Amino acid sequence: MTRTDLSGSDYDAAISELESLSNDLATKADSEAEGYTAPESTTFAEVISVSPDGYPSMSTIHAWKVDGDTITVVMTDGRTISNLINVGDRGTILIHGSSYYVLHVETSDVKTLEYSDDAHNNGEFNVDYSGADRQAPEYTVTFKINELESTQVYMFD
């Protein structure tokens, strides 16, 4: 089965579903605050980028949130996100909902949290931050969704 470009009411329905599947962008401190409730969704996303050497790179992430025509991700420094941290960089994000959604995205905003022991100990990094042992920065990247496709078959799950 081929991919279908989504537009109009199909696009709106897909965005609504993706918003409901969005996962947690909470910091460690947020997650420990009284009254915090983790989202029910545990849906992962696959972020795909292309390195300057031409090789594709892919990372599985839990920290993502769709809001209308944008998607924000939180990722620890690594090959995949390093290809997407400049405004205008382009990549693809795959998310499995009622269909497999293929989001073609363009970087519109980047916030970098450099590693420090104070920031780490104060819970400023994402709840599932994994870069403390290598003192890696964390990036919160907002992308504009340029195109949204769906398909019923993909090799990821």
Side-chain angles (χ1 to χ4, degrees):
M1 177 171 271
T2 61
R3 295 186 309 220
T4 302
D5 288 328
L6 299 177
S7 61
S9 61
D10 292 334
Y11 177 91
D12 294 340
I15 291 295
S16 291
E17 181 181 4
L18 289 166
E19 288 174 339
S20 74
L21 294 174
S22 292
N23 217 318
D24 206 350
L25 299 179
T27 64
K28 177 85 167 152
D30 292 339
S31 72
E32 293 173 346
E34 186 174 331
Y36 169 79
T37 304
E40 290 183 23
S41 175
T42 57
T43 303
F44 290 97
E46 306 292 337
V47 178
I48 303 169
S49 67
V50 178
S51 299
D53 60 10
Y55 291 108
S57 182
M58 183 171 70
S59 294
T60 302
I61 64 167
H62 85 284
W64 61 275
K65 183 174 180 62
V66 170
D67 186 9
D69 292 335
T70 66
I71 181 170
T72 300
V73 303
V74 178
M75 293 177 66
T76 303
D77 186 49
R79 183 175 183 149
T80 302
I81 197 62
S82 68
N83 301 316
L84 298 169
I85 57 173
N86 296 302
V87 172
D89 286 346
R90 292 181 175 202
T92 298
I93 301 174
L94 304 172
I95 301 169
H96 187 191
S98 60
S99 293
Y100 288 91
Y101 293 107
V102 182
L103 295 78
H104 299 290
V105 298
E106 182 175 340
T107 303
S108 59
D109 186 60
V110 178
K111 294 183 176 82
T112 304
L113 178 58
E114 295 293 343
Y115 182 86
S116 75
D117 289 338
D118 285 343
H120 185 257
N121 294 336
N122 290 333
E124 295 177 31
F125 289 91
N126 183 266
V127 64
D128 288 326
Y129 171 69
S130 62
D133 59 333
R134 55 190 174 97
Q135 299 185 344
E138 178 178 85
Y139 300 99
T140 301
V141 181
T142 301
F143 300 98
K144 178 181 182 284
I145 301 170
N146 288 335
E147 187 177 350
L148 178 58
E149 300 173 313
S150 69
T151 185
Q152 293 302 312
V153 179
Y154 239 98
M155 64 182 157
F156 305 106
D157 195 12

